[in-house]
Amino acid sequence: MAHFVIMGCGRVGATLAHTLEDAGHSVAIIDQDDRAFRRLRTGFSGRKVTGVGFDRETLKQAGVEEAYAFAAVSSGDNSNILATRVARETFHVPHVVARIYDPGRAEIYQRLGIPTVAAVRWSADQVLRRILPEQHLSGDFRDPSGRLLLAEVEVDTGWIGHPLTAIEKAAGIRVAYLTRFGEGILPGPGTLYQDGDTVHAMLGVDRTSEVAHILAKSPAKES
C-alpha cells in the first residue's frame, strides 16, 4: 500500500481517489472548496484537506512528505503546475503529474521534465499510468498474437549513467524508445539512461511482473 495525494476534487479527482482507494492505497485529496468533497462517495476513508494545493502546510496536512505520488487535477493550469513543482522539488515526491488544459503549455512543461496530461487527451487512466507502478506495464501496444507488449517501464535511479543495453540484458527486454524532456528518442548502442528518462520497451506479456521486479532494484555491482 502506498500513499497518494490528489489536488482537485472535481469529477476526475474524485474518480482517481476512488480508484486508488479501491486498489488498497491510502489517499488524501485537497480542494479549496470543502463543498467539492461532496463528489466523494459515502464511506470514502481518505483524508479530505481544505486549502490551496500548492501551499506547503496544506500539502503537509495531506501527507505529501510520505507520498509515493502526487496528481494535480484542479481546473487551473498555473495552480496545477505550481503544486506539482512544489511536490517534486520541495518534498521530493517521486511520481508527479499535472493536468493541463492548454496543449501548447503542456508541451513546454514536458520539455522541462514535468509530466503533464493535456485536457484534450484527458482520461483518469492516463494519470493512473503515471502514478501507479502496476499500471506502467498495462501496455500501449500488443502484437497481433498477444504475446508481446510495448510498455512504459519503471527503472530504479540506480541505473542512471548505465547503458540501455545493460538494462535490456538484465531484464530481458528490448528498449524501443525513450522520452527525454518531452521528446521521443531512438536509442543507439551507446545511449545511457539519464535522470528523468521514460523507458518504453518491448517485452513478453507473461514477464511483466518479473521485469518490474528486476528494474525496481539497482544493478548488481560487479565484483
Side-chain angles (χ1 to χ4, degrees):
M1 184 180 75
H3 182 57
F4 293 80
V5 178
I6 300 167
M7 170 187 156
C9 194
R11 180 175 57 85
V12 171
T15 299
L16 290 172
H18 295 156
T19 302
L20 290 165
E21 186 177 59
D22 288 344
H25 300 290
S26 66
V27 182
I29 189 162
I30 302 168
D31 204 286
Q32 295 185 68
D33 186 353
D34 57 7
R35 293 174 297 180
F37 299 131
R38 296 174 185 172
R39 294 187 177 92
L40 297 169
R41 64 191 174 197
T42 302
F44 175 72
S45 61
R47 216 176 305 176
K48 293 174 279 190
V49 180
T50 304
V52 178
F54 50 81
D55 176 74
R56 295 183 183 185
E57 291 304 315
T58 299
L59 287 167
K60 287 181 180 179
Q61 289 179 40
V64 74
E65 292 168 305
E66 298 81 40
Y68 175 82
F70 174 84
V73 294
S74 76
S75 58
D77 284 7
N78 292 336
S79 296
N80 287 344
I81 284 296
L82 182 55
T84 302
R85 292 192 62 181
V86 172
R88 188 181 68 173
E89 297 170 13
T90 300
F91 295 104
H92 309 292
V93 179
H95 303 277
V96 298
V97 62
R99 180 188 192 188
I100 300 297
Y101 284 83
D102 183 342
R105 283 205 285 185
E107 183 176 349
I108 292 171
Y109 291 126
Q110 286 278 18
R111 290 175 180 268
L112 294 175
I114 301 173
T116 61
V117 173
V120 293
R121 295 180 285 114
W122 172 257
S123 74
D125 287 343
Q126 288 179 306
V127 166
L128 288 169
R129 286 184 55 214
R130 288 164 171 78
I131 63 177
L132 271 178
E134 59 267 30
Q135 294 294 113
H136 285 184
L137 293 181
S138 60
D140 298 316
F141 168 81
R142 291 183 187 235
D143 80 303
S145 73
R147 297 175 60 189
L148 296 177
L149 179 73
L150 174 62
E152 180 181 314
V153 295
E154 188 80 11
V155 181
D156 185 84
T157 54
W159 287 97
I160 292 173
H162 288 258
L164 293 181
T165 51
I167 294 175
E168 291 179 326
K169 182 177 179 180
I173 60 176
R174 179 67 55 86
V175 176
Y177 69 98
L178 295 176
T179 301
R180 181 174 289 173
F181 301 118
E183 293 187 347
I185 296 176
L186 289 175
T191 303
L192 305 180
Y193 177 64
Q194 294 184 11
D195 188 18
D197 283 353
T198 300
V199 177
H200 307 266
M202 295 297 300
L203 61 147
V205 171
D206 59 350
R207 297 191 61 248
T208 56
S209 297
E210 180 187 358
V211 169
H213 180 71
I214 292 170
L215 296 182
K217 299 182 293 185
S218 296
K221 294 183 180 180
E222 296 182 0
S223 56

